[in-house]
Amino acid sequence: MIDIRIEKTTSPKAKPADESKLGFGKVFTDHMFVMNYTEGRGWHDARIVPYGPISLDPSAMVFHYGQEMFEGLKAYRGKDGKARLFRPDMNAKRANASNERLCIPQIPEEDFVDAIKALVKVDEDWIPTAEGTSLYIRPFVIATDEFLGVAPSKTYLFIIILAPSGAYYASGLAPVGIWIEDEYVRAVKGGIGYAKTGGNYAASLAAQVKAHDDGYSQVLWLDGVERKYIEEVGAMNIFFKIDGKIVTPMLNGSILPGITRNSVINLCKSWGMEVEERKISVDELLEAQKAGKLEEVFGTGTAAVISPVGKLRYKDEVMTIGDGGIGKTSQKIYDTVTGIQWGTVEDPFGWSVVVE
Ligand SMILES: *Cc1c(COP(=O)(O)O)cnc(C)c1O
């Protein structure tokens, strides 16, 4: 069990009065978790302190070469008033997979989860209560050595911040338009695509701006070598329902292994659906669409859980998926996963973790 010093704020902030105006990632709670790493000493000085700016030397390595890792999960306020996390052990494991790739020291999984629980407990009153709202949790590690040489840092900060966030869907699931990107690529095998790190997002911005300018909300990436095979969407994994089967790109090293992705695969299998993790080419999608077999397309991620895709654009072709609305399977998965998260649906998988 990690030993955490707790220093509470003497000037708590007013909590947002109107939970319908929370949006995402703009409001932060009263406290944050901070822990230092020093080579030779390991992780030390775990503490929960008042939320506020941190001071870093302009030469801190993270600013120059991007040695950083982040995670994202949520705490949900159940109808029973309890705070719940969704599979936080998976975030701990993935954090360490990212850490390993980025030469950041490992964080004991138990400490990672305990730190989240302790911070959520301290700021529990910040978990919003309106339907669909949640407390977004952002753990991250940054390299802090004051040095302009290219090498792994010898010192790090592990920080967790919390952001009360509004309902992703104000009025039920809403389909989005997606732009299949054929110019830029996000990641290649052997690179950092499977790590949750800022660099992948820096690489994505130009395509996102282009897609937005054309009225599409997200980019769907193709593989970095042949630009033929489907990878994933901005901050979501992607699923297709083709002729009754659920198909999603296999984890190949350049795709982020989403926890929602893993949950959706397990859930569909538990319902007796056929699920295939494999390569899917754009051509296969175009053909399935022409044959009337592309039944549903949806993204999966912590933010939206399920994001139904109504429209897919590839070069000069625009495919309308189904009737452009929300597929039956998409809706069923959404209802089940969010039900487990909010504690209103039975959880046979043991995914939901109450914060005591
Ligand atoms: C975080 C993330 C996802 C979704 O992962 P979840 O664990 O389901 O939230 C998908 N793709 C990218 C690039 C991501 O950063």
Side-chain angles (χ1 to χ4, degrees):
M1 186 84 183
I2 187 177
D3 186 25
I4 304 172
R5 176 174 67 83
I6 297 178
E7 176 195 334
K8 292 224 177 136
T9 179
T10 50
S11 47
K13 295 180 274 195
K15 301 200 174 56
D18 186 352
E19 292 186 350
S20 70
K21 295 211 171 70
L22 277 173
F24 171 73
K26 293 178 296 191
V27 179
F28 301 95
T29 65
D30 279 327
H31 300 91
M32 60 185 184
F33 172 90
V34 183
M35 180 161 72
N36 293 70
Y37 180 91
T38 314
E39 196 180 66
R41 206 176 153 192
W43 291 106
H44 59 92
D45 283 336
R47 57 208 185 265
I48 289 171
V49 292
Y51 183 93
I54 54 172
S55 173
L56 289 173
D57 196 272
S59 70
M61 289 180 87
V62 64
F63 296 135
H64 305 280
Y65 311 118
Q67 195 193 7
E68 76 98 37
M69 171 287 290
F70 74 93
E71 270 299 325
L73 68 161
K74 288 174 171 178
Y76 309 87
R77 169 87 65 198
K79 289 226 159 59
D80 54 7
K82 288 180 180 157
R84 286 181 173 76
L85 304 172
F86 186 72
R87 312 186 73 184
D89 54 311
M90 295 281 282
N91 294 94
K93 284 197 183 78
R94 186 171 64 190
N96 275 338
S98 301
N99 284 340
E100 185 177 32
R101 179 65 182 83
L102 296 156
C103 297
I104 296 171
Q106 298 282 294
I107 302 166
E109 279 171 33
E110 226 182 277
D111 294 353
F112 183 96
V113 174
D114 284 347
I116 289 171
K117 284 183 178 166
L119 182 62
V120 168
K121 196 74 201 163
V122 167
D123 276 339
E124 196 171 358
D125 291 348
W126 282 87
I127 307 176
T129 52
E131 186 162 351
T133 59
S134 59
L135 184 69
Y136 186 77
I137 304 166
R138 168 54 58 86
F140 62 103
V141 176
I142 52 173
T144 54
D145 272 12
E146 297 164 7
F147 180 45
L148 292 183
V150 178
S153 182
K154 294 179 168 65
T155 59
Y156 299 85
L157 277 176
F158 173 34
I159 301 177
I160 308 173
I161 57 175
L162 306 173
S165 295
Y168 193 90
Y169 297 111
S171 45
L173 281 178
V176 295
I178 296 230
W179 170 283
I180 303 180
E181 175 60 37
D182 55 332
E183 180 189 358
Y184 300 112
V185 299
R186 170 184 177 274
V188 291
K189 211 169 171 164
I192 55 172
Y194 70 88
K196 214 165 169 76
T197 181
N200 287 323
Y201 281 81
S204 78
L205 296 175
Q208 189 184 310
V209 167
K210 196 172 71 170
H212 277 189
D213 287 349
D214 258 64
Y216 289 81
S217 69
Q218 302 243 17
V219 169
L220 178 60
W221 299 104
L222 297 178
D223 76 276
V225 179
E226 295 181 76
R227 298 188 204 185
K228 244 174 89 175
Y229 297 100
I230 304 288
E231 297 239 312
E232 64 171 312
V233 187
M236 293 191 291
N237 295 108
I238 189 92
F239 282 75
F240 305 93
K241 190 175 170 205
I242 303 173
D243 203 15
K245 268 187 225 162
I246 300 293
V247 187
T248 192
M250 63 206 242
L251 299 178
N252 59 356
S254 54
I255 296 172
L256 203 288
I259 293 161
T260 321
R261 174 189 182 278
N262 177 278
S263 307
V264 167
I265 290 171
N266 282 304
L267 196 58
C268 288
K269 284 183 178 166
S270 79
W271 291 336
M273 298 184 82
E274 236 180 286
V275 182
E276 292 178 352
E277 295 177 68
R278 60 169 172 83
K279 276 184 159 183
I280 308 155
S281 66
V282 188
D283 288 343
E284 177 184 347
L285 289 185
L286 292 168
E287 274 164 36
Q289 167 76 354
K290 284 198 186 96
K293 290 181 174 169
L294 186 55
E295 294 156 10
E296 295 185 36
V297 180
F298 55 92
T300 66
T302 295
V305 180
I306 295 294
S307 184
V309 177
K311 199 169 73 167
L312 266 180
R313 165 269 173 203
Y314 178 63
K315 294 184 176 162
D316 296 330
E317 294 217 41
V318 177
M319 299 181 251
T320 300
I321 313 303
D323 58 5
I326 299 138
K328 269 205 197 102
T329 306
S330 308
Q331 185 73 53
K332 188 177 166 194
I333 296 169
Y334 178 79
D335 292 343
T336 309
V337 175
T338 55
I340 291 173
Q341 289 170 338
W342 268 279
T344 57
V345 165
E346 203 207 332
D347 173 18
F349 307 98
W351 286 341
S352 191
V353 176
V354 174
V355 179
E356 329 252 21

